[in-house]
Amino acid sequence: MLLPPRSSKDLHRDELRPPTPHPECEYPDTVQEEEEENSGCRSVRNDGVHTGPWRTPSFTNPSLIIARRSKEKEPMGSRNDRTRNEEDNKRRETATIVLPPEIWNEIISWADPSTLAVLARVNTSAYSLAMPQLYSSISVPKTADTSKLLNTLCSPTSHDYSCFLRALDVPINCGSCEAVNMALRWLPNLSVLKLKISGKIGWPFQGTRLNLTQFHWEVLQDKSAPPTIEHAGGPSGLSEWLESQPNIIKLKLVTHERIAVSESALRKLVRASGPMFIVSCLVPGRPVDTVQTTPRSRDATAGMSALGQSTGPLRHLKIVSRPELDHHRLLAILSESNPSLESISFEICGQVDNMREFLGKALKDLPKFAELQSLSFCSRVHGPLTTLDASYYRLMAEKVQRSCPKLRRIYFPGVMATLQPRRKMSDMLTEFSALLVSGVRDP
């Protein structure tokens, strides 16, 4: 809404009206101070009323003005209280530097991503602590689109995020192979890389300088398709690239390519996973103590014997097998080549018609494992469990413990048996004799 025009009388009245004083202006408190500061001002009455022309006051620090005006009215001890409050505020602001960064990192490592996202928006100190944890690992499902993520990692504006990233788990196909290759060039601190390959791809490691400690190469290939090499790196491309990664500790290879590395490569390998024809080439001469493998009928015997050549020695073994394999024979070979095994797990892939008969044949005359503590037989496909089956499995577990004195847990389909430590006969006789002696001495 437009205002009506102002008259000439209003304008003349505004010119004669003195300007409104600013709240932060400093005025003389007494007439004497004003006379000393303005000795040229001719009209000042004794009551402090200005009668002369208006003088524009000077501006000073507002905090000084407040202190000067309240100097005489300030009670005793209030200045000390204000100083004490300021010190308390400073102490609260610097409370975050009391703990070392290592302890803060340990605390923040237990937080979930949503909590880290909130923590990063608190202040700059919390931001610097939360961001490395928040973007240290990125995992993408197998069916997700990774184009936006890869473009972000390749962008120069994402330099901070690329420095934070330590673990990357992404699917890769023919269309995204080049983007994955560009992203790997921008990740200097990457230590864990997991690639899920679909179809035929190029070579994702062209021009990269990675130094990995964990590497997964899993091919999601159609079982009906003929086995082929899934990348354009050549028949020995993956083997040659593995030799350039001396610090790999965990390695998982699910591929049709034959892996042949020199004896001087992968000297720090501790965990190996993959088909038996790959694992049997990686384990000998290396300190591998954990293996997950899938044997076939034609390479099961030779592969189990090769596992015994680990310098670890091998302590944990998981076998993904088929029902038609001779599991009793596999256990006999393992007891000869790997006597220091602490846990053995069989995961049966396929339908087992009679699980009780299958286990009775596999565990018949079980060879001795001096260090075995856990034995598992699990089936991905099994029928309903009855009460008689549970009782039968418990009796079988006690029978197996006679061959493995340190065995504590046995897992059967639907049943887990926790066994008590077996005691030697000599210890039992000693305890019984002590009880008899104490009974005789009692009145």
Side-chain angles (χ1 to χ4, degrees):
M1 182 179 66
L2 298 178
L3 297 176
R6 304 180 66 181
S7 63
S8 59
K9 295 181 179 181
D10 296 336
L11 296 175
H12 182 67
R13 190 183 300 111
D14 293 342
E15 293 177 356
L16 298 178
R17 183 182 303 165
T20 304
H22 196 276
E24 297 182 358
C25 296
E26 180 181 0
Y27 299 101
D29 295 338
T30 61
V31 176
Q32 289 76 10
E33 292 181 5
E34 184 180 3
E35 290 179 350
E36 292 176 0
E37 295 177 2
N38 306 300
S39 58
C41 186
R42 53 183 174 80
S43 55
V44 178
R45 295 194 330 211
N46 293 333
D47 56 357
V49 178
H50 294 265
T51 60
W54 183 262
R55 178 181 58 84
T56 304
S58 60
F59 292 91
T60 57
N61 191 347
S63 61
L64 299 179
I65 297 172
I66 297 173
R68 178 181 294 183
R69 290 183 176 180
S70 61
K71 181 177 180 180
E72 297 179 356
K73 300 179 182 180
E74 189 176 9
M76 295 298 294
S78 60
R79 184 180 299 273
N80 295 334
D81 294 341
R82 185 170 61 254
T83 305
R84 189 181 302 108
N85 293 336
E86 293 177 356
E87 293 177 355
D88 293 342
N89 293 335
K90 292 181 179 180
R91 191 179 298 109
R92 294 189 189 99
E93 292 176 358
T94 59
T96 56
I97 64 174
V98 175
L99 296 177
E102 295 80 6
I103 298 181
W104 277 114
N105 292 332
E106 180 64 23
I107 296 173
I108 294 175
S109 63
W110 294 90
D112 56 346
S114 59
T115 304
L116 293 174
V118 175
L119 180 63
R121 295 192 291 266
V122 174
N123 52 30
T124 55
S125 300
Y127 178 88
S128 61
L129 290 172
M131 290 297 287
Q133 296 286 343
L134 184 60
Y135 290 97
S136 62
S137 177
I138 297 178
S139 180
V140 182
K142 299 178 181 180
T143 58
D145 184 13
T146 59
S147 57
K148 294 183 179 180
L149 171 64
L150 297 175
N151 292 334
T152 302
L153 294 178
C154 298
S155 174
T157 58
S158 66
H159 175 70
D160 294 339
Y161 301 99
S162 62
C163 292
F164 295 151
L165 194 59
R166 299 290 187 275
L168 180 63
D169 182 1
V170 293
I172 179 174
N173 51 37
C174 181
S176 63
C177 183
E178 185 177 357
V180 170
N181 178 248
M182 292 298 297
L184 294 179
R185 297 182 184 182
W186 283 83
L187 301 176
N189 300 325
L190 192 67
S191 59
V192 178
L193 178 60
K194 300 180 181 180
L195 299 178
K196 298 180 281 289
I197 299 94
S198 299
K200 186 75 174 181
I201 64 172
W203 185 239
F205 306 116
Q206 184 69 31
T208 59
R209 298 181 179 180
L210 299 176
N211 187 13
L212 303 179
T213 59
Q214 185 174 348
F215 178 61
H216 288 199
W217 178 278
E218 184 177 1
V219 179
L220 307 176
Q221 220 173 33
D222 188 6
K223 296 182 179 180
S224 59
T228 57
I229 299 178
E230 63 280 354
H231 59 82
S236 60
L238 193 57
S239 301
E240 295 176 357
W241 182 82
L242 287 175
E243 293 191 358
S244 65
Q245 303 295 318
N247 296 321
I248 289 183
I249 299 176
K250 300 179 183 179
L251 180 61
K252 180 179 180 180
L253 299 175
V254 182
T255 176
H256 297 291
E257 181 181 348
R258 292 283 178 176
I259 303 299
V261 294
S262 61
E263 296 181 357
S264 59
L266 303 176
R267 301 304 301 175
K268 298 182 180 180
L269 187 63
V270 176
R271 296 186 179 182
S273 177
M276 181 59 78
F277 70 91
I278 293 179
V279 172
S280 60
C281 297
L282 296 175
V283 171
R286 296 178 178 87
V288 180
D289 64 356
T290 304
V291 167
Q292 178 177 346
T293 183
T294 305
R296 295 173 295 184
S297 301
R298 58 178 178 270
D299 59 4
T301 303
M304 292 298 174
S305 301
L307 298 181
Q309 301 179 20
S310 171
T311 59
L314 186 65
R315 298 188 179 278
H316 307 281
L317 176 62
K318 181 178 180 179
I319 302 174
V320 182
S321 62
R322 305 288 300 178
E324 57 269 14
L325 289 178
D326 189 354
H327 292 78
H328 182 269
R329 175 61 178 167
L330 296 180
L331 289 172
I333 297 174
L334 288 175
S335 65
E336 298 176 359
S337 58
N338 299 277
S340 58
L341 278 172
E342 296 180 1
S343 66
I344 302 176
S345 176
F346 287 96
E347 185 173 351
I348 313 301
C349 300
Q351 180 67 37
V352 180
D353 298 331
N354 191 339
M355 181 60 68
R356 293 175 58 175
E357 181 180 354
F358 172 80
L359 292 177
K361 182 179 179 181
L363 298 177
K364 183 180 180 181
D365 299 330
L366 181 67
K368 292 185 177 181
F369 290 90
E371 304 295 332
L372 190 63
Q373 301 178 12
S374 175
L375 179 63
S376 173
F377 277 88
C378 299
S379 177
R380 296 182 180 179
V381 182
H382 59 83
L385 184 69
T386 62
T387 307
L388 296 177
D389 292 336
S391 303
Y392 176 78
Y393 290 150
R394 294 185 185 278
L395 292 175
M396 183 178 293
E398 295 178 359
K399 180 181 179 181
V400 171
Q401 192 184 23
R402 300 171 187 172
S403 302
C404 308
K406 293 187 178 182
L407 192 63
R408 297 294 176 268
R409 290 179 176 87
I410 297 181
Y411 299 85
F412 291 135
V415 176
M416 184 200 65
T418 302
L419 306 176
Q420 297 294 330
R422 290 185 60 86
R423 301 162 62 185
K424 297 181 179 180
M425 183 61 67
S426 58
D427 297 339
M428 297 176 61
L429 292 176
T430 303
E431 184 178 352
F432 182 70
S433 301
L435 291 174
L436 290 178
V437 172
S438 61
V440 172
R441 291 179 179 178
D442 290 339

